[in-house]
Amino acid sequence: MLKRTVQNIGERGYKNARSWVDLENISPVMVRAVVASEDGRFTEHCGFDFKELRKMNKEHKTKGKKIRGCSTISQQVAKNCFTFCGRSWWRKGFETYYTVLIELFWSKERIMEVYLNIAEMGKGVFGVEAAAHKFFDRSAAKLNTHQAVCIACVLPNPLVRSPKTAPQKNRSKYNITYKRTEQTPYPFKRK
């Protein structure tokens, strides 16, 4: 948020929208959509998805595919909370350090709650509550599957993608994420 504020300091009318909401006040389908879209093994790994890293490395070596990001939700929380979002090895080192600490001291529920409250989901839009109000005129607790998937689809590039156009402009990602969301169980015990 600080980085975006500085980047947009001269832009008239720019302001960040954010409203913290507890995990139990976020639609379970939003949690499922984020797990389906961003980190399918969220509850299985210890902050680093070594299976996905090996898969990406194999694809790179055998098929010449570009090296892609394999950041877990825990790594994204570490990056967004504790580092400046540069692309240096120093930042990656700090991110790794904080990911280990987050996994040691926070529950998976807490990691998910923080992630859904700090992730950038549009220009000046941080967190699922702000995104739900801005794009769908409702609270995060009232999001349906379509709306949750639309929000999840912007997470790789929230400044270019929009939840309003996700089904049209990112049809493949939308369809895959929708199907995975329907198949993904809610990862936590309900209180």
Side-chain angles (χ1 to χ4, degrees):
M1 285 176 55
L2 178 61
K3 180 180 175 182
R4 293 293 181 237
T5 300
V6 171
Q7 285 176 335
N8 293 288
I9 203 158
E11 187 174 326
R12 188 178 182 152
Y14 178 86
K15 73 176 199 176
N16 291 328
R18 182 187 65 83
S19 182
W20 189 275
V21 62
D22 294 334
L23 188 62
E24 55 266 9
N25 294 321
I26 297 172
S27 172
V29 76
M30 185 69 230
V31 173
R32 292 175 28 232
V34 167
V35 169
S37 176
E38 295 290 295
D39 189 356
R41 288 185 274 276
F42 174 66
T43 58
E44 300 166 27
H45 62 66
C46 61
F48 306 94
D49 190 342
F50 293 107
K51 286 182 182 178
E52 193 64 26
L53 287 167
R54 281 192 293 276
K55 178 182 168 189
M56 181 268 302
N57 194 36
K58 183 179 177 184
E59 289 173 350
H60 174 67
K61 286 182 177 178
T62 61
K63 298 177 184 175
K65 288 190 175 183
K66 280 181 144 182
I67 292 179
R68 58 182 166 78
C70 293
S71 292
T72 64
I73 287 173
S74 302
Q75 288 173 282
Q76 292 176 52
V77 168
K79 178 186 76 170
N80 290 335
C81 281
F82 302 111
T83 71
F84 281 97
C85 303
R87 289 188 180 261
S88 71
W89 288 106
W90 287 104
R91 197 257 318 147
K92 214 47 171 157
F94 283 116
E95 177 187 305
T96 300
Y97 170 75
Y98 285 115
T99 300
V100 170
L101 291 179
I102 286 169
E103 285 282 338
L104 279 173
F105 295 109
W106 289 357
S107 67
K108 289 288 189 176
E109 290 92 338
R110 178 65 177 161
I111 294 168
M112 180 61 71
E113 180 178 73
V114 171
Y115 177 72
L116 287 172
N117 277 288
I118 65 168
E120 187 172 20
M121 298 179 177
K123 187 174 181 177
V125 181
F126 294 88
V128 69
E129 185 73 8
H133 281 286
K134 178 171 178 81
F135 299 111
F136 299 109
D137 198 28
R138 63 186 52 217
S139 72
K142 302 288 186 196
L143 290 170
N144 63 36
T145 304
H146 165 73
Q147 294 158 342
V149 169
C150 285
I151 291 171
C153 283
V154 306
L155 291 171
N157 199 345
L159 298 181
V160 173
R161 298 177 179 177
S162 167
K164 287 291 198 186
T165 61
Q168 296 83 28
K169 290 191 174 182
N170 301 308
R171 177 150 305 281
S172 177
K173 180 166 178 60
Y174 174 85
N175 289 339
I176 291 167
T177 303
Y178 196 99
K179 184 176 181 179
R180 286 182 183 164
T181 299
E182 289 182 322
Q183 297 168 349
T184 301
Y186 188 74
F188 313 120
K189 290 182 180 177
R190 306 250 174 125
K191 295 176 183 176

